Amino acid sequence: MEDTGTIRLGNGNFEFPIIEGTLGEKAIDTRALRAKSGCITYDEGYGNTGSCLSKITFINGEKGILKHRGYSIEDLAKNSTFLETAMLIIYGDLPNQENLETFLQKIRSHASIHTSMNGHFDSFPSAAHPMAILSSMLNSLGAYHPEMSTNNREEDLAHFDETAVILISKVRAIAAMTYRMKMGMPFIPPADTSYTSNFLHMMFSEPYNEYVDNHGVGKALDLFLMLHADHEQNCSTSTVRMVASGGANLFASVSAGVSALWGPSHGGANMAVIKMLEEIHASGDDGSKFIEAAKKGEAKLMGFGHRVYKNYDPRAKILGKSSESILGSMGMNDPLLEIARKLEQSALKDDYFINRKLYPNVDFYSGIILKAIGIPVDMFTVMFALGRMPGWIANWKEIAENPKSRIHRPRQIYIGETERSYVPVNKR
Ligand code: CMC
């Protein structure tokens, strides 16, 4: 017998099906609530709202578990690569050797952007934020592929494989070109190397001086990107799904995702963490004063806390170790890492953080890695976007391929004025 749940409203009892996920998560399916009872659910911030059924990513926030398509993040971090994991996230299974090779080859063949797009960079002031540029350029990219951005589901899906590869590959060139434009440096054409080596080359090579990675920077970057590849219904992914639900094409949807990611409560936190650590360092504090300020509500410990994780974010654990190993292999001693460790230790034994279940999240250590690699702070959230691209693409696909998917259109409770009559301007 199907499990049901009953909601009692006044004298009425209303029954609704209980849905259970493959890993035991339960939800009461209230889609018919308003039709049956006249009531809607109110859940500002969506803390209790399942907006979709998805097969891509599973999180158990209480236990600190993250899985993509059934594979734990620890397993993938140890054994896989960013692009292999991207295929897993997008297509549902780990690819065989041949499919992986074909995918990598396609990524290589789409490494540069149309030369006419170079001119777009000239129209941005050098003070423009890289996330503003990235969002605009991704939407513009769709204009260069009109057959893939028709807003006709069938046609856009017919080109899906190529669109996905174009986005994953070209977002990297756009990121590197954004950095170089802002620095007033010439663009560097792509080379025929791995995903991250090519990114580092386009970022840091000079026409007269090839970037050489002697310290495993490419590998650390690959891990960083993989750990950001998807994270179920976060703010930007939900935005992508929202935009996709209206029938918008993949370019437009991920461009909206970039805008959503930009905010400091979401992806922008990776920039905010480094700024916070630098300020603590410059003030001579070892972190103790900052912790006290956070407890009084005078500051926020950036890179801490999460809507879903009420335990250690497993990605933060991996990135904490990775930040130590990349600094070690580069022979660097960043005082910010010491401050971060001190903040973490203090917070983890402080009642304020314990009671609220606040732990380090993915953004806490990632900036230390990016800083060591030489990525400027205002590019940090762009790096997050590079990593999150496969997740946005997979979520767009899930919406687009579902013949039953409906436009996302939440309701609201109106609390404004009730009835007013227009008063001419000279009488107000
Ligand atoms: N420092 C100090 N106090 C905090 C923090 C923090 N980082 N995060 C939450 N709290 C407190 C908050 O003030 C509230 O206290 P009280 O119950 O006394 O009012 C309590 O903890 C619950 O917090 P909340 O704001 O209701 O939690 P939320 O689920 O709405 O917000 C969050 C989650 C991630 C936006 C928030 O923890 C935060 O702003 N953290 C810092 C920014 C950050 O690191 N963002 C990255 C998130 S992970 C990656 C990503 O999504 O991009």
Side-chain angles (χ1 to χ4, degrees):
M1 198 182 73
E2 198 185 39
D3 217 359
T4 58
T6 306
I7 296 180
R8 185 152 178 243
L9 289 165
N11 291 331
N13 286 327
F14 304 96
E15 260 193 34
F16 300 96
I18 300 281
I19 326 178
E20 189 164 344
T22 48
L23 284 167
E25 277 175 315
K26 285 192 174 180
I28 177 160
D29 177 356
T30 57
R31 282 177 294 172
L33 177 64
R34 187 169 181 275
K36 283 186 178 178
S37 72
C39 255
I40 61 169
T41 56
Y42 171 63
D43 182 22
E44 194 183 56
Y46 312 126
N48 286 290
T49 298
S51 63
C52 59
L53 301 178
S54 178
K55 293 182 176 171
I56 305 167
T57 290
F58 171 80
I59 301 175
N60 181 325
E62 280 68 36
K63 294 187 178 156
I65 294 172
L66 169 62
K67 291 179 178 207
H68 298 311
R69 306 279 190 184
Y71 296 91
S72 77
I73 195 67
E74 291 81 5
D75 192 5
L76 292 169
K78 190 166 164 228
N79 298 305
S80 185
T81 60
F82 170 57
L83 289 180
E84 188 186 55
T85 298
M87 287 189 79
L88 170 72
I89 286 170
I90 295 170
Y91 294 108
D93 290 304
L94 284 169
N96 63 23
Q97 189 71 41
E98 191 190 340
N99 290 346
L100 179 62
E101 269 314 311
T102 310
F103 186 75
L104 298 183
Q105 179 47 41
K106 283 188 189 156
I107 294 277
R108 282 198 289 273
S109 71
H110 282 295
S112 58
I113 58 170
H114 194 292
T115 48
S116 302
M117 280 192 89
N118 293 3
H120 296 220
F121 286 98
D122 295 337
S123 24
F124 288 103
S126 60
H129 195 285
M131 287 295 276
I133 300 177
L134 184 66
S135 174
S136 316
M137 292 300 273
L138 286 174
N139 226 340
S140 309
L141 193 57
Y144 284 80
H145 300 281
E147 73 291 1
M148 302 179 195
S149 50
T150 61
N151 292 347
N152 171 311
R153 279 260 163 86
E154 267 180 35
E155 287 180 36
D156 289 346
L157 274 173
H159 294 282
F160 173 78
D161 293 344
E162 200 183 352
T163 314
V165 157
I166 282 174
L167 277 164
I168 293 173
S169 193
K170 293 186 194 293
V171 68
R172 174 184 54 167
I174 293 171
M177 290 166 88
T178 299
Y179 164 67
R180 296 191 69 92
M181 178 280 280
K182 284 177 65 66
M183 300 295 288
M185 299 190 298
F187 297 144
I188 302 293
D192 189 23
T193 53
S194 75
Y195 190 81
T196 48
S197 302
N198 206 349
F199 173 72
L200 293 164
H201 162 72
M202 286 190 274
M203 282 284 286
F204 300 127
S205 286
E206 294 301 341
Y208 47 85
N209 193 8
E210 181 71 23
Y211 175 84
V212 182
D213 174 10
N214 287 325
H215 305 289
V217 168
K219 206 164 167 244
L221 195 53
D222 194 86
L223 179 64
F224 166 92
L225 295 175
M226 179 210 283
L227 292 173
H228 286 77
D230 190 48
H231 210 236
E232 54 117 299
Q233 300 315 312
N234 56 84
C235 175
S236 58
T237 303
S238 296
T239 300
V240 168
R241 285 186 88 113
M242 171 74 84
V243 176
S245 79
N249 66 77
L250 185 48
F251 295 95
S253 302
V254 300
S255 159
V258 169
S259 297
L261 184 71
W262 191 357
S265 295
H266 189 14
N270 63 7
M271 284 171 61
V273 169
I274 286 294
K275 286 187 181 151
M276 171 189 79
L277 294 174
E278 278 170 348
E279 276 168 30
I280 294 173
H281 184 53
S283 72
D285 179 19
D286 63 352
S288 333
K289 283 192 203 138
F290 193 89
I291 291 279
E292 288 312 310
K295 285 162 62 177
K296 285 189 216 143
E298 292 163 2
K300 202 165 228 186
L301 184 50
M302 299 310 287
F304 252 71
H306 199 276
R307 172 62 60 78
V308 180
Y309 290 118
K310 301 302 164 201
N311 200 327
Y312 218 108
D313 179 338
R315 303 166 300 171
K317 257 186 208 158
I318 302 170
L319 284 169
K321 281 192 197 135
S322 172
S323 62
E324 270 167 20
S325 89
I326 190 70
L327 287 177
S329 84
M330 295 180 93
M332 287 169 78
N333 185 13
D334 188 345
L336 300 192
L337 179 60
E338 274 166 49
I339 295 174
R341 286 287 185 213
K342 178 85 201 297
L343 283 172
E344 180 190 339
Q345 281 157 16
S346 312
L348 292 182
K349 35 180 206 234
D350 190 295
D351 281 349
Y352 175 92
F353 294 89
I354 294 170
N355 294 340
R356 289 169 181 75
K357 299 191 167 120
L358 301 171
Y359 292 85
N361 62 47
V362 69
D363 296 314
F364 196 63
Y365 288 107
S366 64
I368 291 173
I369 299 171
L370 296 176
K371 182 168 167 271
I373 292 174
I375 311 276
V377 176
D378 67 354
M379 286 286 293
F380 283 10
T381 317
V382 168
M383 301 307 295
F384 192 145
L386 254 65
R388 186 53 53 87
M389 189 57 75
W392 290 335
I393 291 171
N395 277 274
W396 183 91
K397 184 169 184 270
E398 220 169 48
I399 291 261
E401 282 181 341
N402 179 2
K404 289 195 181 150
S405 78
R406 303 169 74 201
I407 188 164
H408 289 196
R409 204 307 187 180
R411 286 187 176 260
Q412 63 162 24
I413 303 292
Y414 177 71
I415 55 165
E417 299 288 344
T418 51
E419 194 71 41
R420 292 166 127 184
S421 295
Y422 185 81
V423 179
V425 69
N426 58 348
K427 302 236 169 89
R428 279 175 230 156

